[in-house]
C-alpha cells in the first residue's frame, strides 16, 4: 500500500513539473523592437525613412517572427523571419500617421510588441475653392485640413479677419473648418481665405464665392392658362365658321 502511495506521489510531482515547464517555454521568450521591450510611439517626419528591427530574447530554440501593419500581414523574405526580422518604412507620408506595426511570435502570437508611428507634418488644406450661387440661396465653404500637430484655424475675407454676420456660422472639427452662409447677399461676394497655423508652418487656401443676381421667375401657370384660352378661342371660332370655310 505504501509503495502504491509513493508511486502515485511521484507521478503527481512529475505531472506538476511538466505543467509548470510547458508555459515557461512559451513565455520565456521576450520580443524587442529597436532594443525596446515595451510598446512605444515612434516620432518621425514627413518624407523620412524608419527601420524597425524585431528580435527574440531568451529563446531556447529557433523562433519564427511575423510582422503586421495594422490588421494586415507584412510579406517577409525567408531570411528575414528567424529570431530577428526587420521592416523598412520609406517615404513616410501623412497617411502613415497613426499606423501601428506589430511583431509577433509565430508559435505564440500572444507574445507581441507594437510601434505606433507619430508622423509630424505641416497643415495640408483642400476643398472646392469656387462656388457660384444665386442671391438669396444658402452656401457652405468647407476647408479640409490634415495636420500634426493640430493647427489653429480661422477665416479671412479679402485679406482681413472675417467679420461674422447674422447669416454666418462657423464650425470647426479636427479635420475641417466650415463656413455656412444662409440667404446669401451681394455683400457676401468675395475671396474667403482658410488659414491653418501650426507650430511647424502656416498654410492658406483661398475660396472664391460669386453671388449672381437672382433669376426672375417666369410665371408658368398663367402662360399655360393663356395658351389654353387662345387655343380654345381658335377652336370655337373655326367651329362657328365651318360652313363658310367649307363653301370657300
Amino acid at each position: 500500500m505504501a509503495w502504491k502511495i509513493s508511486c502515485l506521489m511521484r507521478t503527481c510531482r512529475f505531472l506538476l513539473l511538466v505543467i509548470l515547464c510547458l508555459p515557461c517555454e512559451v513565455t520565456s521568450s521576450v520580443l524587442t523592437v529597436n532594443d525596446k521591450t515595451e510598446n512605444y510611439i515612434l516620432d518621425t517626419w514627413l518624407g523620412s525613412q524608419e527601420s524597425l528591427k524585431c528580435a527574440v530574447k531568451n529563446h531556447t530554440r529557433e523562433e519564427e517572427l511575423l510582422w503586421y501593419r495594422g490588421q494586415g500581414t507584412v510579406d517577409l523574405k525567408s531570411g528575414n523571419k528567424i529570431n530577428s526580422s526587420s521592416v523598412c518604412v520609406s517615404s513616410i507620408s501623412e497617411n502613415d500617421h497613426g499606423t501601428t506595426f506589430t511583431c509577433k511570435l509565430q508559435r505564440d502570437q500572444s507574445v507581441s510588441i507594437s510601434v505606433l508611428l507619430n508622423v509630424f507634418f505641416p497643415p495640408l488644406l483642400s476643398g472646392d475653392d469656387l462656388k457660384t450661387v444665386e442671391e438669396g440661396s444658402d452656401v457652405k465653404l468647407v476647408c479640409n485640413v490634415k495636420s500634426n500637430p493640430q493647427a489653429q484655424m480661422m477665416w479671412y475675407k479679402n485679406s482681413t479677419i472675417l467679420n461674422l454676420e447674422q447669416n454666418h456660422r462657423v464650425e470647426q472639427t479636427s479635420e475641417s473648418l466650415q463656413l455656412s452662409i444662409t440667404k446669401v447677399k451681394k455683400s457676401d461676394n468675395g475671396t474667403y481665405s482658410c488659414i491653418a497655423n501650426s507650430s511647424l508652418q502656416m498654410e492658406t487656401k483661398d475660396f472664391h464665392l460669386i453671388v449672381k443676381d437672382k433669376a426672375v421667375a417666369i410665371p408658368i401657370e398663367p402662360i399655360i392658362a393663356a395658351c389654353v384660352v387662345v387655343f380654345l378661342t381658335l377652336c370655337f371660332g373655326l367651329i362657328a365658321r365651318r360652313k363658310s370655310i367649307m363653301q370657300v
Side-chain angles (χ1 to χ4, degrees):
M1 184 66 179
W3 178 80
K4 290 183 178 181
I5 294 174
S6 177
C7 289
L8 182 60
M9 290 180 65
R10 283 198 298 270
T11 303
C12 290
R13 283 198 296 268
F14 176 75
L15 291 175
L16 180 61
L17 182 62
V18 171
I19 292 172
L20 291 174
C21 289
L22 282 175
C24 184
E25 181 186 2
V26 174
T27 58
S28 61
S29 297
V30 176
L31 294 181
T32 65
V33 171
N34 295 354
D35 296 324
K36 299 187 186 310
T37 59
E38 296 182 351
N39 299 339
Y40 72 100
I41 297 174
L42 176 61
D43 293 337
T44 185
W45 296 86
L46 199 68
S48 62
Q49 177 176 300
E50 298 291 345
S51 180
L52 305 176
K53 182 179 180 180
C54 180
V56 188
K57 304 294 184 183
N58 303 329
H59 59 91
T60 57
R61 65 181 188 181
E62 298 291 291
E63 296 284 5
E64 184 175 342
L65 298 174
L66 303 173
W67 272 106
Y68 287 83
R69 178 185 176 121
Q71 300 299 319
T73 57
V74 178
D75 291 333
L76 301 173
K77 294 182 179 179
S78 57
N80 188 28
K81 295 181 179 181
I82 307 301
N83 294 337
S84 68
S85 178
S86 298
V87 295
C88 183
V89 189
S90 59
S91 300
I92 290 176
S93 71
E94 68 278 4
N95 296 322
D96 294 316
H97 177 61
T99 300
T100 300
F101 286 85
T102 304
C103 180
K104 297 183 178 183
L105 278 182
Q106 193 277 336
R107 177 168 55 88
D108 180 12
Q109 296 190 25
S110 65
V111 181
S112 66
I113 183 170
S114 298
V115 180
L116 177 69
L117 296 186
N118 183 35
V119 183
F120 293 108
F121 56 95
L124 302 172
L125 305 180
S126 64
D128 186 0
D129 53 12
L130 177 61
K131 294 279 189 178
T132 302
V133 296
E134 287 186 357
E135 187 177 6
S137 59
D138 299 340
V139 69
K140 180 182 290 186
L141 304 180
V142 181
C143 178
N144 301 308
V145 59
K146 287 185 177 182
S147 179
N148 185 38
Q150 188 171 343
Q152 293 183 344
M153 310 279 291
M154 66 172 46
W155 283 107
Y156 275 61
K157 181 184 179 184
N158 299 331
S159 301
T160 60
I161 296 178
L162 177 63
N163 183 24
L164 294 179
E165 300 181 11
Q166 289 184 349
N167 64 331
H168 293 171
R169 187 179 66 183
V170 173
E171 298 177 33
Q172 183 175 356
T173 68
S174 60
E175 298 180 348
S176 68
L177 179 68
Q178 302 180 16
L179 172 63
S180 300
I181 306 177
T182 57
K183 297 182 179 180
V184 172
K185 300 176 293 185
K186 278 290 188 178
S187 59
D188 292 317
N189 194 83
T191 299
Y192 293 78
S193 301
C194 173
I195 309 293
N197 190 15
S198 77
S199 58
L200 300 180
Q201 193 171 316
M202 184 176 72
E203 290 291 339
T204 302
K205 180 174 178 57
D206 291 336
F207 293 79
H208 305 284
L209 178 61
I210 300 174
V211 181
K212 301 188 303 181
D213 292 331
K214 188 174 183 179
V216 179
I218 299 176
I220 301 298
E221 292 183 358
I223 292 176
I224 294 175
C227 292
V228 171
V229 171
V230 171
F231 176 74
L232 292 176
T233 302
L234 291 174
C235 289
F236 287 131
L238 291 173
I239 294 172
R241 301 183 60 188
R242 67 182 184 280
K243 291 184 177 180
S244 59
I245 293 174
M246 293 178 65
Q247 290 177 356
V248 174

